[in-house]
Every structure is written in C-alpha cells, then in structure tokens.
Amino acid sequence: MDYDALVVGRGIGGMESALKLGDMGYRVLVVEKEASVGGRMVLLSKVFPTLDCASCIATPKMAATAHHPNVTVLTDSEVEAVSSDGGGRFLVRVHTRPRFVDLAACTGCRQCEQACTVAVPDEWNGEMVSRRAAYIAYPQAIPQKALIERRGTSPCTDACPAGIRAHGYVSLVRSGLYEEAFQLLLEATPLAATLGAACYAPCETVCTRGELEGPVAIRRLKRFVAERHYATADGPGVTPGEPNGRRVAIVGSGPAGLTAAWQLARAGYGVRVFEAGPEPGGFLRQAIPAYRLPAELLDQDVANVTALGVEITTNSPIADVAALKVEGYDAVLLATGTPESRPLGIPGEDLEGVQAGVAFLRDVRAGHPPDLAGKRVVVVGGGNVAMDSARTAIRLGASETRVAYRRGREEMPAHRAELNDALTEGADLELLVAPVQVIGDADRRVAALRCRRIELGEPDDTGRRRPVPVPGSEFDIECDVVIAAVGLTTAVETFAGALLGAPPAGPVDERTLQSVIPWLFAAGDLVTGPSDIARAVGQGRQAAQAIDRWLCGERRGLATVPDPLGVVDRAEVLARQKSHSRRESGLRPVNVTPRPRDFDQLEPPIGEEDARAAAGRCLDCGVCSECGQCLPACPANAIDLSMRGNDRSLEVGAVVLATGYRIFPADLKPQYGHGRFANVITGLQMERLLAPTRPYTSVLRPSDGKIPMRIAYVMCTGSRDESVGNPLCSKFCCMYSLKQNQLIMGVLRFAEVTVHYIDIRAVGKGYEEFFEQSKGMGVNFVKGRVAEIRETPEANLILRYEDVDHGTLAEAEYDLVVLAVGVQPNQDLGQLLAAQGVAFDDRAYVDEVDEDYRPTATSVPGIFVAGALSGPRDIPESILHAGAAAIQVAAHLESLKAPA
Amino acid sequence: MSRDIREVVRDEPLMRDRLLELLADGPLTVPELAAAAHMPASEVMVWLMGMRKYGYVFEEKGPGRLFEYRYSAVKRP
C-alpha cells in the first residue's frame, strides 16, 4: 500500500483530516487540483465571530500540511480514477499537470511574473485585477513557487512550419517590447523582414480571432518589428557562438540555406554559403516579385547572417560537392531549392515567345524584363508562380493576361490572396483547359495556345479531382507570349543527383535530413519539393540541428524548434469569455489596384500605434505566449517549458473526499446585474477587498475607484431560492455578511451599510451576539427580498425591494452592492464517485448514509467525506467534521489490519 | 462593465504605456485618468490596479474627509 489514506482537496477540511491522520502516524497523500494548499479560507479577510485574521489561522495549517513528515501533498493534481480492490483498499490514478517551473530551484522571487507579457484575470482576487500567465497564486500560497499557465500551444505557433513562436512576438509587440520581439524571431531565422513581407502566413489561417471579425495581422507585425529594428539598430544584436573549430559549407542561399547558416553560426560553426547567382537570397531574390518582397528588406535580413561572420560567395555554382569535403568542410548542406520550371511538354514549346515562369520572373528581378507592352500573355498553371507571372506581366504592360488552368478555381494551388490580387489587377482565368500545342506564325513566333477542354473526374492521389480531357474540344487562345508555370523542379543533377536521388523523395532521412553520405545533408524545397518560405526556413533549422548533433553529438545552444504541447482548442478559447466585443484590425489594407504599372511594394508598413492595437486583438489562446521573457528573468534558471505532466497509480487504504463547495454564480440572477454593473460584486469579492492582500488600494468602487459611502447587501443570492433550483440555506452567508459589515464600518468610518435580508440566521456560539453587535454599530437591516437592481449613469445602483416590516415596495440608491452569494454542491468528482457507488442526496451533496452513528461515512466502506462536500458548513463545523472523518478513517484502517 | 473581464485585463499590457504617459505630468484619480485616456473608468480601474500590483504606479490619499486616491507613476530606470 502506497499510502494509508488519500485526501482529495486541500481546503480547511482536507488539511485538518490529513494533519490528524498524519499525527496518528498514518501516511497520507493530499491531492489538490490548484497550485496551493489552503482552499478558500486563506483568501478571507477575517473569520466570524472572533474577527481573527483568517490567514493567521489558515497559514500555519497550510505549512503544517506541506511539511508534515507523514503527509505528502500533490498540487496541480487531480484524481482521475478510483476503484476498490474488493478488500477495503483502493487503487487510484492521479494526474499531475506540469508547472513548467522546477519547484526545487524556484525561490518564489516573482521575477518571472514581472517579466511575463500575458495578463489574465486573477481568480484568487475575484477577477478584479490581473495576474500574469507566470505567477504565484497569492502571497500566502504554499508552495510559494511560481507556475506558468499553459493551456496548450497557440494555433498560430503550432501552424508555423518555421517553428516561430508567433503568439510570443505578438504578445511582445502588445507590450511594446519590439526589440525583444525581433530577437524572438531571430531565434528561428534571420529572415524576419522577408517573412514579414512575403510569408503566406499559415498562422493567420488558424488564428482564433478569425472566428470573430478576422485574424490578427501576425505577419505584418513581424514586418513591423523587423523594420523597426533595422531603422534603429546596427546589426542583429546577436553575437556568434564561441568558435568550435568546425566548418560547414552550405550550397544555396535561399531561406533554408540562410537559416541553416544563421543557426550554425550562432552555435560557433564556421560557415560559408555558396550561391550560384550574383546576389544572395536564391528564390527570394530571383523569383518573388519586388511588389511582394523589395530587395532592401532581403538585404537587411541577409546582413544579419553576414554579421555573424558567415561568408557568402556569390556567382559560385557548385558542381562537385565532394570537393567541398576535400577542401576541409566537416559537413555540407545542399539547399538549392527548386529553381527550374517544369516544361509544358507540348509541341511548339521551342517557339519564340514561350518562356518558363521562374526564368521570366528572374529576368524581371535582374533588370532584364521582356518587352510585353501591348502583348497578349497566357500563363499556364494555377500555383503561386503562375500568379506572380501574371501580375508581373500586367505590370510590364501586357494588353491581356490570361491564366489557363486545367482544374477549377477552388482547386488552384495558389494562395487565395495571390489569386484574388491577380484578378483585381486584371488577370483573367481560363479554367478547365489544358494546353496541347503552342501555335507559331511564319516567323516561329507564338501566335496562339491550342487548348483542350477538361472535365473533372474522380479524385486522384492528392485528393483533387482528376482532369479528364473532353474529346474534340480543342480551341485556340490567340496570344503573343506563353509563360509556363506548371511546376518547379530541382537542378540537382548538375552537381549531386547521384548522391541524393530524385527529389522531392530523395533518400535523406526525414528527421535528420542526412543523406546516405553522412557528411552530406539536404534541406528545403530540394527535399520537400516546391513549398513556401516558412517551410524552407523550418527545414533550414532542422538541418542545422541535425548537423550540430552529428558533428558535436549534442545540442550546443542551437535554438531548437519547440516541442509543441498540443494545440489548444479554438472553441475552448472562445468559450473562456461570455462575450467578445468587435475589434477591427484598423490596419490599412493592401493597396491592390487594377492594371498596376510599377513594382512598388503593395502592402503599406504599419506604425507603432497600429501595431500595438493589432497585437492587442490577440486572444492569448495558449495563455502563456511562449515569448520567453521569463527565462532570462529567472535568477534560478527554474523555468522549464519542456516539462510535461505525469500519471501515478497508487494503492491507498481509505479515501477522504474534501473538495468543498462551489460558489453560486451570481450572474444566474440577472436581475441583480452582476457582470453587467461594475459596482455589483459578490461577498467573496468583498472578502478580497477587505483582506490585507487586497487587489485594490482599499474598499473602492470597481467603476471609478471612488470610496463607496452607501453600501447594500443582498442576502440569500442563490440560496433559499427555488427560482435557481436551490431551496437550501447556505448557512454562513448571514454571518460572513455581518462580519463584512463590521469590517467595512471599521475601514470606511462614514459609510452607511444596509442589509436586505429574509431573516438572519446566527446559529452558533457567539453568533447572535455578533448580530447584535452589528446592529449596535449602525448597520441598517431591511427585511424583504430585493426584486431588481438598476444602474444610473453615474454607475450608482437603484435597488427595488420589498420592506416587509413596513409593508411597502421601495427603492434606494447605493454606491456599491454586495451579493451575499450562497453555495452549491461541488460536483467535480461526481461521475467518478457515482461510478464507485458513492451516493448523493437529493441536492447532489455527498450523502452521509448513517449521519447519526457513523458521521462522514459515505455509502462506500473506506470512502469518507469531510467538510462542505456533504452540505453547507462554516469553518468551525468543517474542521470538526474533518476531525471526525480522520477518526473514521483510522477505524477503517485498523479494521484492515485485524485478522479475518 | 460592458466588456468581458478577460478582454479588459488582456488590454493591460497594451494600455500601460499610455496610462503611464498620462501620469507623467502628475497624479490623477481614476476618473481623471479615464477622461484623459478617453476610456471607461471601470476599465481604467482594472488596468491601474494591475499596474499597482506590479509596481508601475503608487497611490496617495487626496485631501479632505471624503478623499479620493490619486495615482502616480513609479519612476523606473
């Protein structure tokens, strides 16, 4: 048996049972789902009727529980299964969530909390103030250690093939930490501005805000931080790693090659990049039109790489990779992409006026555009190169630009924005056609493109419907120029075909990107086939890690692609709020106009104010944004984002259920306006305002921070109320309200306090005297229910109420209203317990089946209940009840020892 | 408060610099700060109390029996 007893719940009842059993010598495990032991009592201001400090009573018990030699406490943990072994013992499974903080190392200094960029409502302070995603629950929490609330990986971060922590930099921009955001981007790639301008932003496709009025402009924020950095800083602000004596050659300076070079240089490798073209950038410079990616942005990104000492040798096509090895490079990475267009494969392709798409784009970017003025252009293909070719042709003055594609519009692989922009600029679509011949004139110049109509058949291997030619449907599109953009291919045969095989299914290991020759690696489109910039960046990171591991046997400080937690459910994110206000991005839209004639960048830059506002639309899906600010802030290096949860299977001799009660959700009485009127608060919120560790400066109005002079209490909110299905008295609301009345009159000496009540239930030692004392202090008592609460323009509150003593209906105006909310049964473990045969009473409290003779015993031998889980109890009663449970457990445990 | 509390709280990092800028000229009450920021006082209250909790602002009592708290920015290096 692992433990004699399992106590579920760490409130005053759970702690009392655990301590009593521990004192008796039994080994006890306390499982608590929250981050601290202590329950609600520690959050109270004082206890009634003695007005002793609640924390002063609770915290010694908390400390005793945490440090008792016979008591083990598991916080952040939940019991997921309980089953009887048939012999009076129980098998339990406990799941512990990760805190992402090493408890042994954390000193509780709260530096992580100060650095954290995500603000969420502080549930420990009645959601009247913020806390951070990295936090310590409250000042008296035990353990006094931080934890990080991570609900999963945010969809944007999860969707980024480059492994960029998108949520992280959005959060940093929102906080005005622009340089930190830039540095977070640099952890993944030096191509911050490039991605900010030209990435297709899969992050935005999955952004939860897209379910509302539109996604956060994640990509444009990236461009903002990059441009801001480049405008103010000299160099990337990153120093290369200590040289490790290893050299790596990288062939190709596209996104994969540059990213790998950056990562390896940061880790101390000597890196040289060989670029066949006259300038670095590969496909980025040669084929992406300037209106999407201006050369200056790319130049700034490339300068990040060279700033770390990476040498880029241009005009250097590599024909023999083995020679690089002979030259002394320890590893070679091929990242040459897919620089060639696939041919159309039809007669007439050699006519003058037929051009490959990539070659066409390359000529234009190199400053050698063909003369298309007044010419009719047909672009064959439906991908992004086809769209770029069409839009470029329009800019060069083509009189007519048609895009011929063999499937329908929905099947076009081009990014939707690219397609739509092409159409806006004046491209026409010729869908469901396949070229069969380029027709030439007498001078062998293009005169027309002969096409055949297509019907779509059954889906092929890619899931898209297969194009089926329609016999006899040939027709000619008269044109002067045909641009072939039907796919891209590698140029690998020029240097390494024998080594790599036929891409994209080349024989490199998917994980390590290592070829059959150990020193030779490959990454990017060369491996995957044509993809996009972000995927190529991700491949570059992956290759750098693999090379580092192969050469040095371990990770040497390389920024690794994060190991995702599992993406958070977007529906769950939206459900965290009762309502979402509409919040437009406010950014100027991309300036796409018909028939453009220049290559100026279309997307306008965004300013600081717009950027922060755009970032402010983020919903913080994962809660923690993974911005990483807590990591350097922690002086103890205690943050560990790789931490994961664990499950324990244990055998115990008895179970004590002590999960307490639930507070009635006051918004279920909409006529009282809680959640709508700022100055209607609950009794628990008032407890926090009165506590020494209060969220406000004093007892203040939430609407405007003013001191309330007229305060009303509305008793029996959610209890003794059939309209909300709870006819039971919650037993302690009267007394905690009286206590608060007295405390308020001590704090706000000129305040008037009025209690609207049905009757005051002051049943307990000293309780009636406490009531009389409240009256004596000047608290007004008005007998009768409150019908409704209205709000004035000044955020004051009009109570319409029944005055039973005077037989009238009346109204009164107050500055602040406190709803004395009742309690409900806690059904967190309901299904689990019901499956074990634990009985509940008709109000869903755990049933003590023989309350007179065996109090705390449930319907299942060996399972006991302590405190308010079996019915409303105040603190002294809960402690007594928990003590009784401990004795019952002891008797049960001893019975297990007795001979049969 | 018309907006969900989670939404309001989430704006605290966004609003912090603006509020601190407004407090640079001297202490303000919550309604004064809200008027200057053109934001609802109930939301400014949430942000300001969060900023107080994390050491960005501090309070002082105003004059008179029925005083109001005024808030100042904590000077940071």
Side-chain angles (χ1 to χ4, degrees), chain A residues 361-508:
Chain A
L361 295 172
R362 192 180 292 140
D363 286 347
V364 174
R365 289 237 40 178
H368 312 297
D371 179 12
L372 296 186
K375 292 185 177 173
R376 298 162 300 174
V377 175
V378 176
V379 178
V380 181
N384 291 323
V385 171
M387 297 306 121
D388 286 341
S389 298
R391 298 176 71 183
T392 298
I394 290 168
R395 283 168 170 76
L396 293 176
S399 62
E400 187 179 297
T401 305
R402 287 191 183 193
V403 176
Y405 179 57
R406 60 184 179 159
R407 291 183 166 98
R409 182 168 169 166
E410 291 307 310
E411 287 83 15
M412 292 180 90
H415 193 273
R416 291 298 98 173
E418 280 277 303
L419 170 60
N420 293 335
D421 290 351
L423 296 175
T424 303
E425 290 180 350
D428 295 314
L429 296 182
E430 192 76 57
L431 299 172
L432 294 168
V433 296
V436 292
Q437 184 181 356
V438 183
I439 309 293
D441 61 13
D443 298 324
R444 292 191 53 77
R445 287 193 296 241
V446 171
L449 179 67
R450 179 158 297 164
C451 297
R452 182 181 289 148
R453 300 283 178 199
I454 295 291
E455 288 178 346
L456 293 180
E458 294 301 309
D460 62 14
D461 294 343
T462 67
R464 294 185 301 172
R465 294 175 66 190
R466 190 188 307 275
V468 180
V470 178
S473 65
E474 285 82 2
F475 68 103
D476 291 347
I477 304 173
E478 292 185 358
C479 59
D480 307 304
V481 173
V482 172
I483 298 175
V486 292
L488 300 169
T489 187
T490 66
V492 73
E493 68 279 358
T494 60
F495 61 88
L499 299 176
L500 284 172
V508 292

Side-chain angles (χ1 to χ4, degrees), chain A residues 164-173 181 184-185 218 221-222:
Chain A
I164 293 172
R165 285 177 271 170
H167 183 190
Y169 74 74
V170 170
S171 181
L172 289 163
V173 171
L184 186 68
L185 289 167
I218 304 171
L221 290 175
K222 192 182 299 156

Side-chain angles (χ1 to χ4, degrees), chain A residues 113-114 119-122 127 129-132 174-175 576-581 583 612 618-620 675-676 678 696-698 702-707 709 750, chain B residues 1-7 9-17 30-31 41-42 45-46 49-56 59 65-69 71 76:
Chain A
E113 196 170 348
Q114 292 286 345
V120 293
D122 184 355
E127 300 197 332
V129 71
S130 64
R131 66 163 170 82
R132 299 291 179 257
R174 180 175 55 195
S175 296
R576 288 176 198 158
Q577 293 181 205
K578 291 190 173 71
S579 63
H580 293 269
S581 58
R583 199 155 171 170
R612 287 191 77 170
C618 176
L619 294 167
D620 289 328
R676 285 186 295 130
Y696 292 175
T697 317
S698 178
S703 72
D704 51 15
K706 291 181 179 173
I707 293 171
M709 299 309 294
F750 304 104
Chain B
M1 193 176 302
S2 57
R3 291 205 294 160
D4 188 279
I5 184 65
R6 197 170 187 94
E7 197 168 295
V9 164
R10 205 163 45 229
D11 279 347
E12 186 187 315
L14 182 66
M15 297 302 300
R16 185 190 305 141
D17 291 346
V30 171
S42 59
M45 179 71 178
V46 173
M49 291 304 106
M51 291 165 65
R52 175 180 174 272
K53 178 177 174 181
Y54 289 104
Y56 290 91
E59 70 277 1
R65 200 181 71 170
L66 302 176
F67 63 86
E68 286 187 83
Y69 284 101
Y71 298 88
R76 296 189 159 221

